[in-house]
C-alpha cells in the first residue's frame, strides 16, 4: 500500500521537531556546564556566509509549517522571527507542533497531483503536490535541522546520531 502524503509529512515533522527541541536542551545545558553564555551558540555558524544557528531553527519550523499550510489549505500562524534564547526557540518549535497537530489528514491526502506555486527568492516555482512535499518541503526541512545539529556539534555540544534520530525518545 502506498504511503499517504499525511503519513509522509506530519508525523515526520513532529518527530524531528521534538528531536530538535531535545538538541536545544542539550546545547543549553552544555553551555552552562562549560560556563559560557548560551547565546554564543545561538549566533554560531559553520561558514561566514551561512545563516546562524537561530535562523536554522526558525527556517526548519517555517519549512514544516508553511509547506503543510500550502498543501492542506489550513492557514498557518504568523511568527515574528524574534526568538533570541533557547527557551524562545523551544516555544517556537512547540507553536509549530501545535499548528501541525491541527492539520487533518483529509486536508493533505489526495493532493499528490495538485499543482502548488510557491516563492523561491524573488521568483516562484510550481510543482505537483507529491514532488513539492518530497523534494522541496522535506528536503528543505531536513537541511535546516541537520545544519542546526552540525553547528552545535561543531561547537562541542555532546551530540550524536541518536540525538538527531531519536532525541528525547531514547
Amino acid at each position: 500500500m502506498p504511503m499517504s502524503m499525511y503519513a509522509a509529512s506530519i508525523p515526520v515533522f513532529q518527530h524531528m521537531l521534538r528531536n530538535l527541541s531535545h538538541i536545544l536542551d542539550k546545547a543549553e545545558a552544555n553551555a552552562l556546564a562549560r560556563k559560557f553564555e548560551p547565546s554564543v551558540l545561538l549566533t554560531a555558524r559553520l561558514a561566514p556566509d551561512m545563516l546562524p544557528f537561530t535562523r536554522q531553527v526558525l527556517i526548519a519550523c517555517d519549512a514544516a509549517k508553511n509547506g503543510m499550510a500550502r498543501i492542506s489549505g489550513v492557514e498557518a500562524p504568523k511568527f515574528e522571527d524574534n526568538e533570541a534564547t533557547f527557551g524562545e526557540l523551544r516555544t517556537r518549535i512547540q507553536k509549530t507542533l501545535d499548528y501541525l497537530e491541527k492539520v487533518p489528514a483529509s486536508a493533505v491526502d489526495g493532493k499528490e497531483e495538485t499543482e502548488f506555486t510557491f516563492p523561491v527568492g524573488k521568483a516562484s516555482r510550481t510543482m505537483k503536490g507529491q514532488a513539492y512535499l518530497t523534494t522541496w518541503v522535506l528536503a528543505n526541512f531536513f537541511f535546516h535541522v541537520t545544519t542546526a545539529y552540525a553547528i552545535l556539534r561543531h561547537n562541542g555540544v555532546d551530540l550524536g546520531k541518536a540525538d538527531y534520530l531519536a532525541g528525547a525518545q531514547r
Side-chain angles (χ1 to χ4, degrees):
M1 169 182 276
M3 181 181 286
S4 74
M5 294 264 291
Y6 183 90
S9 58
I10 298 292
V12 174
F13 292 134
Q14 291 168 326
H15 176 76
M16 291 306 296
L17 287 169
R18 288 183 188 107
N19 292 354
L20 184 57
S21 189
H22 163 76
I23 287 168
L24 295 179
D25 293 343
K26 287 193 77 170
E28 188 171 33
N30 180 273
L32 296 173
R34 291 170 53 199
K35 297 183 178 23
F36 67 85
E37 179 58 42
S39 64
V40 170
L41 294 173
L42 298 172
T43 60
R45 53 185 86 212
L46 292 175
D49 64 345
M50 85 180 313
L51 294 171
F53 174 80
T54 295
R55 291 293 301 155
Q56 302 299 332
V57 174
L58 300 182
I59 294 170
C61 290
D62 286 350
K65 171 181 68 90
N66 295 336
M68 294 318 299
R70 190 167 286 114
I71 292 169
S72 70
V74 176
E75 187 174 347
K78 305 279 190 263
F79 299 146
E80 293 187 36
D81 292 344
N82 59 0
E83 291 80 1
T85 67
F86 281 103
E88 290 171 349
L89 288 175
R90 281 190 291 274
T91 298
R92 171 69 168 259
I93 291 169
Q94 187 57 56
K95 290 191 305 189
T96 304
L97 287 166
D98 292 344
Y99 165 74
L100 294 172
E101 190 69 34
K102 295 175 186 170
V103 177
S106 61
V108 177
D109 291 339
K111 302 282 181 82
E112 293 82 358
E113 296 298 317
T114 303
E115 288 197 343
F116 295 97
T117 300
F118 55 98
V120 180
K122 294 180 180 179
S124 65
R125 185 167 183 180
T126 300
M127 298 175 81
K128 290 190 176 185
Q130 184 172 339
Y132 173 63
L133 174 64
T134 60
T135 67
W136 193 271
V137 177
L138 285 166
N140 189 39
F141 173 77
F142 279 112
F143 174 87
H144 291 286
V145 172
T146 301
T147 301
Y149 168 91
I151 289 170
L152 295 177
R153 185 72 181 95
H154 175 75
N155 280 278
V157 177
D158 184 23
L159 295 171
K161 192 173 185 179
D163 294 299
Y164 180 85
L165 293 176
Q169 294 89 28
R170 297 188 295 155

